[in-house]
Amino acid sequence: MLEKRNILLGVTGSIAAYRAVDLVRRLIDEGAGVRVVMTESACRFVTPYLFETISGNPVGTDLFADPFTHITLAKESHLFVIAPATANTINKISCGIADNLLSTLWLAYEGPALIAPAMNSRMYRHPTVQKNIVAMEKAGVTFVGPETGSLACGEEGEGRMADIPDIVDAALTTLASRDLADQNILITAGPTRESIDPVRFISNRSSGKMGYSLARAACRRGARVTLISGPSALRPPAGVTFVPVTTAMEMQKAVQRCLNRSTAVVMAAAVSDYAPAETAQVKLKKKDATSIKLKKTPDILKGIGRSRGKRVLVGFAAESGRGLASAKQKLKEKNCDLIVLNDISREGAGFDVDTNQVTMIDRGGRVTDYPLMQKADVADIILDRINEMKRKGK
Ligand code: CTP
């Protein structure tokens, strides 16, 4: 997603400097070219050689090593990230002091910027630091973190540099096109859980990865996102309105509550089709649980399909085998605009993996096969299709 993007990473003198090594790796994984610039204090924590090895590029430390680096690097970069950013660097760059390569680059740079502060919590709360952060935010700089937790000094508090995935996510968001800025997207994800008794339940293998990837991508592209999720081990993406639910009934109620304000709905949840007719209030003894009477759960998507209005409606079809006919039938029966068919019996597709291999079928009968790809990329394609339908006023 960061293909052909040059990221300038400023590393300053915090113990969190060692975590910036992983940040470089993750940004490169996303396709970015990374140039690292370090302050003198940063070099006391981590050597430039390490960043040079990881980034595959020379590391800048000395303003006077080359007369024009501070101009050329600033012009070539699409995003300036400072992680970790100390109080000292934040205070200096906010008022335009240019006394080393990093702070001089900051003055010469004109594009989007992202700062991940890292410092002791009392330093972070200091009025000068807070005033400068607010001023920089007003000027359009994005701050990610800091997190609350145990700090290097042994104290607990706000000041830990944000988690690396959150910084990468913020970088992706900053550089993404905001083509869904006028959309309000409701996404369901994960399995539902239908209780048999206080310890047992009926559920399925869904991890929520597809729905959470959709929520993350939609958010990044500027949409307001509501994510209604059954039980999942995943962390909800930053910026979404998160509604945790357990059962199909709870998911249906949550969907009904949030439907009005949505312009598009994506039902990525693997809703359990059946629930026990009765839930025992105490744990069943094994001799009493030889058979379970089931009742059908509501078909949430079908319900939305009946009163969908102008909103774009996307469903999934989980099939063992190609299942094209079944997916087409679901599209029609549930009154969807698009069905995303995934053959869960294929290697690397379906439940609890990072990849998926899908076929999309739209109302007009267009069938498009996609190769095996990351769920994050599948998410973007689904969102492209929603956008296309919205623009055509389908
Ligand atoms: N769905 C739903 N409510 C249900 C069951 C499914 O809203 N009670 C939605 C899913 O979120 C998905 C679509 O309907 O978007 C198709 O789900 P799928 O499990 O593939 O099909 P089912 O309709 O459950 O039919 P079957 O299990 O017989 O294939």
Side-chain angles (χ1 to χ4, degrees):
M1 274 179 229
L2 295 175
E3 213 74 26
K4 297 203 181 90
R5 299 303 183 119
N6 299 329
I7 296 186
L8 178 56
L9 174 64
V11 180
T12 70
S14 151
I15 185 118
Y18 79 93
R19 290 170 58 206
V21 176
D22 190 31
L23 176 59
V24 174
R25 220 173 40 81
R26 304 283 188 101
L27 291 171
I28 292 173
D29 285 349
E30 292 289 340
V34 181
R35 290 293 302 266
V36 178
V37 168
M38 300 173 74
T39 60
E40 202 183 324
S41 340
C43 298
R44 297 180 75 143
F45 288 93
V46 182
T47 66
Y49 187 65
L50 178 54
F51 282 108
E52 203 168 305
T53 314
I54 297 288
S55 70
N57 281 316
V59 171
T61 53
D62 180 6
L63 177 60
F64 298 101
D66 174 283
F68 299 116
T69 302
H70 64 289
I71 304 297
T72 47
L73 255 188
K75 280 208 292 205
E76 285 164 6
S77 302
H78 301 106
L79 176 68
F80 197 158
V81 181
I82 304 185
T86 57
N88 184 42
T89 291
I90 290 172
N91 290 339
K92 276 198 308 196
I93 61 176
S94 73
C95 57
I97 292 173
D99 63 349
N100 59 25
L101 180 58
L102 193 155
S103 54
T104 310
L105 271 162
W106 183 267
L107 268 192
Y109 175 76
E110 290 176 317
L114 191 67
I115 292 184
M119 64 197 75
N120 169 274
S121 53
R122 271 169 292 123
M123 291 169 77
Y124 180 64
R125 283 198 309 269
H126 192 283
T128 305
V129 175
Q130 286 301 315
K131 185 187 81 195
N132 289 334
I133 289 177
V134 170
M136 288 168 92
E137 276 179 330
K138 270 197 189 135
V141 176
T142 304
F143 279 78
V144 50
E147 305 275 321
T148 302
S150 57
L151 306 172
C153 55
E155 292 180 13
E156 285 282 324
E158 199 174 11
R160 265 176 64 83
M161 186 170 84
D163 287 341
I164 301 303
D166 291 341
I167 301 176
V168 174
D169 229 31
L172 291 165
T173 305
T174 310
L175 289 173
S177 88
R178 300 186 63 79
D179 59 343
L180 299 174
D182 53 352
Q183 299 298 317
N184 207 320
I185 306 185
L186 173 57
I187 297 165
T188 66
T192 64
R193 220 178 242 184
E194 317 296 334
S195 289
I196 298 168
D197 68 12
V199 292
R200 304 175 178 103
F201 54 79
I202 297 173
S203 192
N204 56 64
R205 291 183 190 281
S206 168
S207 61
K209 282 182 179 167
M210 192 62 244
Y212 281 58
S213 297
L214 275 157
R216 184 171 295 108
C219 215
R220 186 180 291 154
R221 290 167 65 162
R224 281 171 305 284
V225 177
T226 303
L227 174 64
I228 300 174
S229 173
S232 165
L234 302 174
R235 199 157 56 113
V240 308
T241 303
F242 183 64
V243 185
V245 295
T246 304
T247 65
M249 282 299 286
E250 283 172 21
M251 185 172 277
Q252 186 192 40
K253 281 193 188 131
V255 166
Q256 281 166 350
R257 264 200 320 272
C258 303
L259 192 61
N260 255 348
R261 55 175 183 271
S262 68
T263 54
V265 180
V266 186
M267 277 293 301
V271 186
S272 176
D273 290 320
Y274 289 94
E278 275 170 42
T279 301
Q281 296 308 307
V282 291
K283 184 183 170 226
L284 294 175
K285 301 307 283 177
K286 56 178 168 255
K287 66 176 169 49
D288 299 329
T290 49
S291 68
I292 302 165
K293 200 158 177 249
L294 298 175
K295 65 176 181 201
K296 280 201 100 165
T297 56
D299 190 319
I300 304 171
L301 182 56
K302 203 168 179 178
I304 308 171
R306 283 193 212 104
S307 54
R308 42 172 296 166
K310 284 199 160 132
R311 53 185 69 84
V312 170
L313 194 51
V314 179
F316 274 71
E319 309 288 345
S320 310
R322 179 137 163 84
L324 191 58
S326 169
K328 281 183 175 169
Q329 199 179 340
K330 284 176 190 171
L331 175 93
K332 208 166 152 207
E333 268 177 21
K334 305 195 188 208
N335 198 17
C336 295
D337 297 294
L338 188 72
I339 280 278
V340 183
L341 158 65
N342 55 345
D343 176 355
I344 53 160
S345 60
R346 277 184 93 115
E347 179 123 357
F351 292 151
D352 208 13
V353 285
D354 291 330
T355 50
N356 210 352
Q357 207 247 306
V358 301
T359 299
M360 293 189 202
I361 305 128
D362 69 15
R363 248 176 202 283
R366 181 160 57 127
V367 177
T368 319
D369 288 316
Y370 294 91
L372 187 69
M373 54 177 111
Q374 292 294 316
K375 282 185 173 165
D377 296 328
V378 176
D380 269 317
I381 292 170
I382 294 170
L383 295 170
D384 288 346
R385 297 288 293 261
I386 291 176
N387 211 9
E388 187 186 306
M389 290 188 266
K390 279 282 168 197
R391 303 296 155 224
K392 283 188 187 152
K394 59 109 208 146

